[in-house]
Amino acid sequence: MDIKQILYFKAVADGGSFAKASDRLHISQPAISAQIAQLEAELNAELLVRHARGVRLTAAGSILLEHGRDILARIEQARAAVAELDREVSGSVTVAMITTIANVVAPLLLERAKRLYPKLDVKIFEALSGEVTAWHAGSRFDLSILYLSDNHVADGAIPFLREQLYLLGPMDAKRELGRPIDFADLSAIPLHHTSRIHACRLLLDSIANERRVDLNIVAEIDSITLLYEFVAGRNAYSIFPCIGEPPLFQRAVDYRPIINPSLALQSYIVRGANRPTCKSINAVIELLSGLAEEFAAETTQMPRCRADA
């Protein structure tokens, strides 16, 4: 099996006929047919079935096409990585981020990338943690910032930010702002929170089961914006992760640290599967790592918890 055979086979499969593959590759149909026949002989499997309108893939052909596309993409990535050695940082890098992190990190990352690497195009995609995890599993983006537990750290994952969990609720004139609350006392509070596919909810449920605390989840809302609006505008309660120190107040919202135990989510920078080692992706990783160091050094300065950004 060689690259030419895979390329010819992919062209026929994508075009649905030998004629279309011939026009696209500027190679005669007999030459393409001969290469695919050699490929079928080597694999001892029929890959294509001819019919009046062209060809269709067999089960073996569908499997080979899936792997063939990945092989050809990897080859192009290798060529691009070698070609860019002597070029300045440029091109496009896609980054998936959890919403609460993106609200804080994305503006800083984009500003810094544009200033330091004018030819680099960083594209940000944000969602709740469950969606970002699914995106990463499907290798949709070059980089993902996602929560990983200490027992499930992916190979090559780079620690990013550790976010403390806070109970968000209305301010109470009888209680000082930011007063800690024991985890056990959450059972008496009606909570609006995300569904169980998201990291924060999974952590809360895990600790609740471990401590035998019955959390009172009165509504599940898979939207950070809506959850925050319920807290700020309807005197509801929710639990959010926060980068650094929380504000004393924000839109009439009180941030209360959860203690006994203190809860936190650890995020990591993770490459998408089969992404090459190249200047553009490495540059974005360096920028993100620099931001993480700055956030760690600023924990006693101005807070960066902006759920409503």
Side-chain angles (χ1 to χ4, degrees):
M1 185 187 305
D2 62 33
I3 301 304
K4 181 169 63 176
Q5 291 172 337
I6 296 174
L7 181 64
Y8 289 3
F9 169 71
K10 179 179 178 297
V12 174
D14 288 344
S17 73
F18 282 87
K20 290 182 180 179
S22 176
D23 291 340
R24 178 180 176 183
L25 298 173
H26 304 292
I27 297 170
S28 69
Q29 291 187 47
I32 295 175
S33 182
Q35 290 294 328
I36 291 179
Q38 291 178 20
L39 188 58
E40 289 178 319
E42 179 178 344
L43 295 174
N44 193 29
E46 186 179 35
L47 302 174
L48 300 166
V49 175
R50 289 177 171 83
H51 55 75
R53 295 183 302 277
V55 299
R56 65 174 176 81
L57 290 170
T58 64
S62 296
I63 292 173
L64 180 63
L65 180 61
E66 180 182 352
H67 288 281
R69 284 174 173 160
D70 183 55
I71 291 168
L72 294 173
R74 292 292 299 274
I75 290 171
E76 287 305 312
Q77 290 169 356
R79 286 173 177 163
V82 172
E84 77 164 5
L85 285 175
D86 294 325
R87 295 202 305 259
E88 62 181 306
V89 175
S90 61
S92 175
V93 177
T94 55
V95 186
M97 296 184 184
I98 299 157
T99 301
T100 52
I101 294 177
N103 286 340
V104 174
V105 172
L108 299 172
L109 174 63
L110 293 173
E111 182 279 326
R112 198 161 297 187
K114 185 59 65 178
R115 175 164 47 86
L116 296 176
Y117 307 112
K119 295 184 179 181
L120 178 64
D121 181 21
V122 179
K123 300 176 190 267
I124 307 293
F125 299 82
E126 63 88 14
L128 291 174
S129 60
E131 280 96 9
V132 175
T133 300
W135 288 347
H136 174 69
S139 193
R140 285 188 56 184
F141 301 104
D142 297 317
L143 297 171
S144 295
I145 296 179
L146 65 160
Y147 297 131
L148 296 173
S149 66
D150 293 338
N151 297 326
H152 296 88
V153 176
D155 291 340
I158 302 169
F160 187 52
L161 298 171
R162 190 166 182 83
E163 299 172 90
Q164 203 75 17
L165 296 194
Y166 291 82
L167 173 69
L168 276 65
M171 293 186 291
D172 186 342
K174 299 178 181 178
R175 184 186 65 237
E176 63 179 327
L177 291 175
R179 182 177 179 181
I181 181 170
D182 280 10
F183 185 88
D185 293 336
L186 295 177
S187 63
I189 297 175
L191 294 171
H192 291 64
H193 214 275
T194 59
S195 59
R196 288 184 170 91
I197 66 170
H198 304 294
C200 186
R201 177 66 184 279
L202 288 171
L203 177 60
L204 290 173
D205 285 353
S206 174
I207 300 300
N209 289 335
E210 179 185 309
R211 301 280 176 126
R212 297 183 179 180
V213 174
D214 291 326
L215 295 178
N216 182 18
I217 306 295
V218 296
E220 292 185 342
I221 304 174
D222 281 350
S223 167
I224 292 298
T225 301
L226 285 178
L227 283 172
Y228 192 83
E229 289 301 325
F230 268 75
V231 174
R234 303 190 183 187
N235 292 331
Y237 293 85
S238 189
I239 294 173
F240 276 28
C242 182
I243 299 173
E245 296 293 324
L248 289 178
F249 65 89
Q250 183 176 2
R251 292 185 57 192
V253 173
D254 187 10
Y255 288 76
R256 302 179 63 187
I258 299 170
I259 59 174
N260 297 322
S262 176
L263 303 181
L265 291 167
Q266 176 66 53
S267 61
Y268 291 81
I269 306 166
V270 187
R271 287 178 183 264
N274 301 325
R275 288 322 194 263
T277 299
C278 61
K279 280 186 176 181
S280 55
I281 293 178
N282 288 342
V284 174
I285 291 175
E286 289 180 7
L287 291 175
L288 288 169
S289 297
L291 288 172
E293 292 177 1
E294 292 174 19
F295 291 143
E298 290 178 1
T299 52
T300 58
Q301 299 179 18
M302 187 66 184
R304 293 187 177 277
C305 192
R306 294 173 49 204
D308 61 332

